[in-house]
Amino acid sequence: QVQLQESGPGLVKPSETLSLTCTVSGGSISPYYWSWIRQPAGKGLEWIGRIYTSGSTNYNPSLKSRVTMSVDTSNNQFSLKLSSVTAADTAVYYCARDRGAANTLDYWGQGTLVTVSS
Amino acid sequence: QSALTQPRSVSGSPGQSVTISCTGTSSDVGGYKYVSWYQQHPGKAPKLIMYDVSKRPSGVPDRFSGSKSGNTASLTISGLQAEDEADYYCCSYAGNYTFEVVFGGGAKLTVL
């Protein structure tokens, strides 16, 4: 059974960079797409982007200028960096596996709350 | 791309059927077969319950079904059960010139 676990700081200061890592266990990280999705409190889901195990990426156009994703296949991990954060970036961040050609997110992490505040 | 449009809330009694709509455009829902649906209980991660419009992942009851007509996708839940009470999100591929995924705003299902 594939399991995903997000990790990283729960508090980030405005203008700084949010960094999260997702560790995949119970299965290989290859050959799949791996996605990040976020959800502000009481609001809906927002797709941030995805990365293939080759390193190829697709990002949400609205966040593209601030997002960087990377993958470490040797450690079964992939990561998210979001720069120049503001309070609007406060949300629960989920990592997920995308097994299909698009948006078939079949395994999800439990989510991690990231608060942007000074 | 704008978020897909879902009703904010739907409700039904146990045993009844409910349908949740998800309206987009020809650039997302109407243009591709890649519509998925997610069920989210409070405080939990979303769970995939439908993909490629009408395919059910293993373990999802056949009470859940999906369809699409034009720019609107639908999720139907028949034989409503108390545990079906949750938020439901639709999701579509929306790539025209670049790969993009968009979610609906979510619909709260209340089992009366």
Side-chain angles (χ1 to χ4, degrees):
Chain A
Q1 177 79 346
V2 175
Q3 294 184 311
L4 290 77
Q5 179 68 58
E6 303 89 350
S7 59
L11 181 64
V12 181
K13 289 182 169 56
S15 80
E16 295 190 343
T17 296
L18 177 160
S19 296
L20 295 174
T21 295
C22 184
T23 301
V24 180
S25 60
S28 175
I29 197 169
S30 301
Y32 294 99
Y33 283 97
W34 301 90
S35 298
W36 290 96
I37 302 98
R38 69 181 183 179
Q39 184 174 35
K43 297 188 177 181
L45 302 168
E46 181 181 29
W47 180 76
I48 300 171
R50 69 175 194 173
I51 185 166
Y52 192 61
T53 45
S54 66
S56 173
T57 56
N58 303 109
Y59 298 144
N60 185 325
S62 68
L63 299 170
K64 187 174 182 177
S65 63
R66 299 194 291 130
V67 172
T68 303
M69 294 183 184
S70 58
V71 62
D72 179 355
T73 54
S74 61
N75 286 308
N76 261 24
Q77 294 179 326
F78 61 104
S79 299
L80 167 71
K81 290 187 185 300
L82 181 65
S83 64
S84 304
V85 297
T86 69
D89 296 309
T90 294
V92 173
Y93 285 75
Y94 294 101
C95 58
R97 188 180 81 170
D98 188 343
R99 76 167 195 198
N103 62 297
T104 303
L105 304 166
D106 60 348
Y107 288 100
W108 292 65
Q110 64 186 24
T112 187
L113 174 63
V114 179
T115 302
V116 178
S117 175
S118 55
Chain B
Q1 285 286 350
S2 301
L4 308 175
T5 300
Q6 297 182 245
R8 280 190 168 253
S9 63
V10 296
S11 62
S13 299
Q16 289 186 332
S17 294
V18 295
T19 296
I20 302 172
S21 61
C22 171
T23 301
T25 69
S26 58
S27 297
D28 40 63
V29 173
Y32 309 96
K33 66 176 183 177
Y34 302 120
V35 176
S36 54
W37 290 87
Y38 300 86
Q39 177 192 63
Q40 186 179 35
H41 287 107
K44 301 294 187 182
K47 173 189 175 184
L48 177 70
I49 58 171
M50 201 69 59
Y51 67 99
D52 292 354
V53 176
S54 60
K55 297 179 181 178
R56 274 179 293 107
S58 173
V60 174
D62 59 6
R63 303 186 294 106
F64 292 84
S65 61
S67 63
K68 190 183 80 161
S69 177
N71 296 336
T72 299
S74 298
L75 175 73
T76 297
I77 310 171
S78 58
L80 268 180
Q81 299 181 4
E83 60 260 35
D84 297 333
E85 184 163 298
D87 292 324
Y88 290 83
Y89 292 91
C90 62
C91 179
S92 176
Y93 173 68
N96 263 332
Y97 305 102
T98 183
F99 183 97
E100 187 177 354
V101 169
V102 290
F103 282 94
K108 168 68 176 177
L109 169 63
T110 300
V111 180
L112 302 170

